[in-house]
Amino acid sequence: MSSVAGRFKATAGRVHLFNLSPAHGSQSTQKRLGRGRSSGLGKTSGRGHKGQKARAGNGKPKAGFEGGQTPIVKLFPKRGFVNPERKVYAPVNLDRIQHWIDQGRLTSSPEKPITAKELLLSGCIHQVHDGIKLLASVSPSCVASRMLYNVFLQGAEHLKTAIHITAARASQSAIRAVEKKGGTVFCKYYNELALRDCVKGRTDRIEAAPTKKNDILWYTSWRNRGYLSPTALDKMPPTLVHERWRELSKQLLAFKSQEYEKAK
């Protein structure tokens, strides 16, 4: 018996099942209530006499409870609603991009197009929001006067350089104006993390793919210059196209060729 005990005796620096114990200070003595007045926590068990907090249960009202009177949040009327699916895009006009190119603050090529990173670092925009939207003109609500609107309305005519840009969205007039000058526009899907990686220049993570129906229809359409459309994958420079995009394009467009059995 002594030989067995000596063989299993714990040595310094080794951990065994029979010498494990909680870390010092990690456990505290349980507070035992209602064990007589001499314990200090007897009779009312530390709850005092009567009152709301002396009752069984939680004893605390929920946040915003005002003692029974009508809460202030119910006294104000509600107006409208907040759409949880709403996206705010940072608008960029063609005339502004041309002005930045003339100043030498922006450059582009088919292999290195303009993205949200270049627009943000050059000062062309101040926030990326949920992505970049390329526009050819400014809406009347964005300008101070009608005369100023008439000037900005011809924003597409100020474009003189063939630019190559990858944005989240682009208007049809902007697409036509850019391609008329020999440039290219491709719309790419960004979620919050992918947009942050684009701005930071990170390429070590897999980019998100569109999952909602509206996004899938948008980014698989060549009319919108979606990057997952087969035409866009053929026209984009090979250095920018990932093999994963081709597989995603096949999977997301499979519904157009699928046939379903008719009920007999």
Side-chain angles (χ1 to χ4, degrees):
M1 186 68 182
S2 60
S3 61
V4 175
R7 187 171 52 186
F8 289 97
K9 184 178 180 181
T11 59
R14 296 190 63 182
V15 178
H16 297 271
L17 292 177
F18 54 82
N19 66 358
L20 289 177
S21 61
H24 179 70
S26 62
Q27 294 185 337
S28 59
T29 306
Q30 180 184 3
K31 182 189 289 186
R32 305 187 69 197
L33 306 179
R35 295 301 186 273
R37 294 188 178 185
S38 60
S39 67
L41 293 173
K43 193 188 176 192
T44 55
S45 302
R47 290 178 176 266
H49 293 279
K50 300 183 179 180
Q52 184 182 34
K53 295 183 179 180
R55 304 307 178 195
N58 185 26
K60 298 179 181 178
K62 63 181 180 180
F65 182 71
E66 299 182 13
Q69 71 177 9
T70 305
I72 191 171
V73 295
K74 288 189 176 183
L75 296 177
F76 289 94
K78 292 187 289 185
R79 294 288 184 269
F81 70 101
V82 177
N83 184 6
E85 306 299 333
R86 177 174 177 258
K87 285 191 174 183
V88 178
Y89 294 101
V92 180
N93 257 53
L94 292 178
D95 58 343
R96 187 176 182 86
I97 293 179
Q98 182 63 54
H99 182 60
W100 251 242
I101 293 175
D102 295 340
Q103 290 184 338
R105 302 171 70 175
L106 277 178
T107 57
S108 66
S109 64
E111 290 74 20
K112 192 175 181 181
I114 299 172
T115 62
K117 178 182 178 181
E118 286 76 24
L119 292 173
L120 186 63
L121 294 179
S122 65
C124 190
I125 58 174
H126 301 294
Q127 288 185 4
V128 294
H129 295 291
D130 294 321
I132 306 300
K133 185 169 184 179
L134 187 64
L135 301 175
S137 60
V138 178
S139 62
S141 59
C142 297
V143 293
S145 63
R146 185 68 183 179
M147 182 180 299
L148 187 60
Y149 168 67
N150 292 331
V151 174
F152 278 105
L153 187 61
Q154 309 299 327
E157 296 184 359
H158 292 281
L159 184 66
K160 304 175 183 178
T161 310
I163 65 172
H164 306 274
I165 185 170
T166 300
R169 294 292 177 99
S171 65
Q172 295 297 316
S173 55
I175 293 173
R176 289 193 297 268
V178 172
E179 293 181 348
K180 184 179 180 181
K181 297 296 181 180
T184 57
V185 179
F186 293 105
C187 294
K188 186 179 177 182
Y189 172 78
Y190 294 99
N191 65 349
E192 184 178 355
L193 182 60
L195 186 61
R196 188 190 313 158
D197 288 347
C198 176
V199 173
K200 298 294 183 181
R202 290 191 58 173
T203 58
D204 58 327
R205 287 193 281 209
I206 298 177
E207 297 175 344
T211 55
K212 297 180 180 179
K213 180 180 177 181
N214 292 338
D215 292 335
I216 291 174
L217 294 177
W218 177 276
Y219 292 104
T220 55
S221 171
W222 169 244
R223 180 177 182 273
N224 301 323
R225 300 305 185 264
Y227 76 116
L228 292 179
S229 63
T231 308
L233 293 173
D234 294 337
K235 292 189 175 184
M236 291 177 69
T239 56
L240 298 180
V241 178
H242 301 277
E243 289 300 323
R244 179 170 173 268
W245 294 359
R246 299 186 185 277
E247 187 63 28
L248 282 173
S249 178
K250 294 178 182 179
Q251 294 177 1
L252 297 178
L253 293 174
F255 72 95
K256 292 187 176 181
S257 58
Q258 289 176 344
E259 296 182 357
Y260 301 93
E261 296 181 0
K262 296 182 180 179
K264 297 180 180 179

